[in-house]
Amino acid sequence: MPNKKRKRNPPHATAATIHPRNKYANNPPDFSLLASLYPAFAHYVFQSRDGRPKIDWTDFGATRELTRVLLHHDHGLNWWIPDGQLCPTVPNRSNYIHWIEDLLASNVIFGSSATGDKVRGFDIGTGANCIYPLLGASLLGWSFVATDVTDVALECAHKNVSSNPHISALIEIRKVDNLGIACDDIRTGSNGIVLEENSQSNQILSDASEAANIMNSSVASPESNWEDRMFNGESKADLDQVVDGEAEPNLSTETISDSDLNTNYSGPQILLGIVKEGERFDFCMCNPPFFESMEEAGQNPKTSCGGTPEEMVCPGGERAFISRLIEDSVVLRESFRWYTSMVGKKSSLKFLISKLREVGVTVVKTTEFVQGQTCRWGLAWSFLPPARKLLTNHLAEKTNLSFMLEGVRRQASAFDVLQSVESFFCGFSASCKSNPSSFTVDVHMSAGQCEVILMNEANNFREAGDYQELQVPSVSSESSPSDLGFRVSVFQQIPGTLLVKGSVQQKQCSPLRTFSSIFLQLEDFLKERYHREKTRT
């Protein structure tokens, strides 16, 4: 009997991925309450067969009114968009904001905020709704530069900002014309909106061709899996409907065909020429045009979220758009701490991650947003140096440690990693006994061998310039390590991902901090080794 591919679980059957800090994580919108408070919304609410209040998700007026009342009731924001403009779902957009908040709060990369204590973001293609700057400013006090191309989107975005004077000073609306020339922020004069041309240096634009050459010369390898499941919690039935109001890309295509590789972007500039000389940002974010045509964008008959061609479509779709964003980031590099984008197709995510590794980013992070019937991914990358792991007291006291080895090429098996573990410790003359049948290596290190490997770690940190932050056992004091025995096990999780575990076998011999320090060195060694092998292929 031929093997059958395991069917992808429907989104509602998976662990919910609404962010725990999302306002709607434990308190989904109460349609009955909202209808009693907002008569305009009550017009769209009706009772379902099971007696629950519902709205017609194919009615643009209903979805727009829901967004309006949620922003007003839960966020204190005044908001409106005209017919035909993209209507965002508030819980879904809040997830993206909180994910970026997690990235900024993490110690994945070195460095503090680009603008001191205040976080500054850049919203690419803010649209008439201007949803990300409004949420980021109201929830977290972030400041934003928000860009767009069409006059209608810019005018509506400006009105949405000026209608909220308590946060309007935090948001600058910046016009981009089709030639990629940026204008200064939009100001309101006696005759309406005034756009001031901004004189830009052309040097950064001249570097774009070099970035494009780097991208075009890279060979895409779809065998990547760095998914970072950062969300937890449990979805509610009502919330599944609330976040289910956007056109759904075809997620059934999980492989990359030749026809999918059209990444030639021909639209307006995205970052280059828009970011001014000397500007620094903590992050950029983007809800890119997912589709190649309006016909493709309209394939979900169960929802009506609106959307203009400029918001929904570009030649080459999301791959072309985000590929250009990657090209721009190669030039701008550390002007942003984090570059991020939403992605609509998992096959696009794999393709884009391979592009990022080819251009030499230092960190790649992904997450998955699954709510209702809508599935999206978040993609983030940085050119800042990754922060080295510090050995905390909690970690130092553990007798069992583990880490995930992700992004490994499919040809590399658990046995290959096991051999690499053995070679690492044999390089320090440790005694190793491997058991290929159980995928384990028993390691015994003398006190002198422990001192050598710990000294090697200290020297590596001194060369990196961050040795003052290193916490390792002293190799010259009374607390010098004694003999150490432990077992390393390797487990295949899914293709491209392995779990490496270490457990102390002789707890009475050596300080546990010694084991923790050595195991962290093994983690760095394996990740560097298999990352290098991957980039050579």
Side-chain angles (χ1 to χ4, degrees), residues 214-490:
I214 295 174
M215 291 286 295
N216 293 334
S217 64
S218 65
V219 178
S221 174
E223 306 299 341
S224 306
N225 186 5
W226 286 279
E227 292 188 6
D228 229 9
R229 312 281 177 163
M230 297 180 71
F231 295 165
N232 52 40
E234 187 170 277
S235 292
K236 305 293 184 182
D238 288 345
L239 185 60
D240 287 346
Q241 294 295 324
V242 171
V243 299
D244 190 19
E246 292 189 59
E248 172 70 4
N250 180 9
L251 295 176
S252 61
T253 304
E254 297 296 339
T255 58
I256 299 175
S257 63
D258 292 340
S259 61
D260 291 327
L261 300 181
N262 177 19
T263 57
N264 294 322
Y265 176 74
S266 58
Q269 290 288 348
I270 297 175
L271 289 179
L272 289 180
I274 315 306
V275 175
K276 299 177 183 178
E277 186 175 359
E279 281 190 314
R280 293 290 183 270
F281 296 89
D282 292 286
F283 66 90
C284 69
M285 62 191 311
C286 178
N287 205 53
F290 294 125
F291 310 103
E292 296 192 57
S293 67
M294 288 302 289
E295 291 75 15
E296 181 188 1
Q299 287 179 356
N300 188 353
K302 297 182 180 180
T303 62
S304 178
C305 62
T308 64
E310 290 81 5
E311 293 174 302
M312 308 288 284
V313 171
C314 80
E318 64 182 4
R319 287 193 185 184
F321 191 93
I322 302 173
S323 291
R324 173 56 63 87
L325 176 57
I326 295 174
E327 291 178 23
D328 288 2
S329 73
V330 171
V331 177
L332 294 171
R333 299 185 73 81
E334 296 181 10
S335 296
F336 291 78
R337 293 182 65 205
W338 287 101
Y339 297 86
T340 78
S341 179
M342 195 83 82
V343 181
K345 298 180 182 180
K346 191 170 185 178
S347 58
S348 296
L349 185 69
K350 296 177 180 179
F351 173 83
L352 294 166
I353 288 176
S354 69
K355 286 290 187 184
L356 289 169
R357 292 301 184 186
E358 292 293 340
V359 301
V361 302
T362 57
V363 177
V364 174
K365 287 289 181 181
T366 70
T367 194
E368 186 174 9
F369 308 102
V370 180
Q371 293 174 301
Q373 300 300 312
T374 301
C375 186
R376 299 283 188 269
W377 285 265
L379 176 63
W381 66 96
S382 180
F383 290 92
L384 289 170
R388 290 182 179 270
K389 294 184 178 179
L390 301 183
L391 187 58
T392 64
N393 289 331
H394 172 68
L395 183 63
E397 295 171 357
K398 285 193 169 185
T399 59
N400 295 280
L401 297 172
S402 65
F403 62 86
M404 298 297 293
L405 191 60
E406 300 175 302
V408 179
R409 57 189 177 86
R410 290 181 183 268
Q411 294 87 342
S413 65
F415 180 72
D416 296 320
V417 175
L418 193 71
Q419 287 185 314
S420 297
V421 171
E422 186 174 6
S423 67
F424 172 77
F425 289 110
C426 287
F428 293 96
S429 300
S431 172
C432 298
K433 183 179 180 181
S434 63
N435 186 341
S437 61
S438 61
F439 293 96
T440 60
V441 177
D442 290 329
V443 182
H444 183 271
M445 304 184 71
S446 66
Q449 291 163 350
C450 289
E451 289 186 3
V452 170
I453 196 170
L454 291 174
M455 183 63 72
N456 176 73
E457 181 182 28
N459 289 337
N460 288 340
F461 271 72
R462 292 188 182 97
E463 291 173 3
D466 53 8
Y467 60 90
Q468 291 181 342
E469 300 183 58
L470 179 64
Q471 299 179 32
V472 297
S474 169
V475 295
S476 58
S477 67
E478 295 179 359
S479 62
S480 296
S482 55
D483 288 1
L484 176 64
F486 55 93
R487 172 172 291 174
V488 179
S489 307
V490 180

Side-chain angles (χ1 to χ4, degrees), residues 2 35 44 72 76 89 94 103 122 130 132 137 142 152 212 238 268 307 350 371 388 418 435:
Y44 296 102
H72 187 271
T89 53
S94 300
L103 289 173
F122 193 102
C130 199
Y132 289 129
W142 294 348
V152 172
D238 288 345
K350 296 177 180 179
Q371 293 174 301
R388 290 182 179 270
L418 193 71
N435 186 341

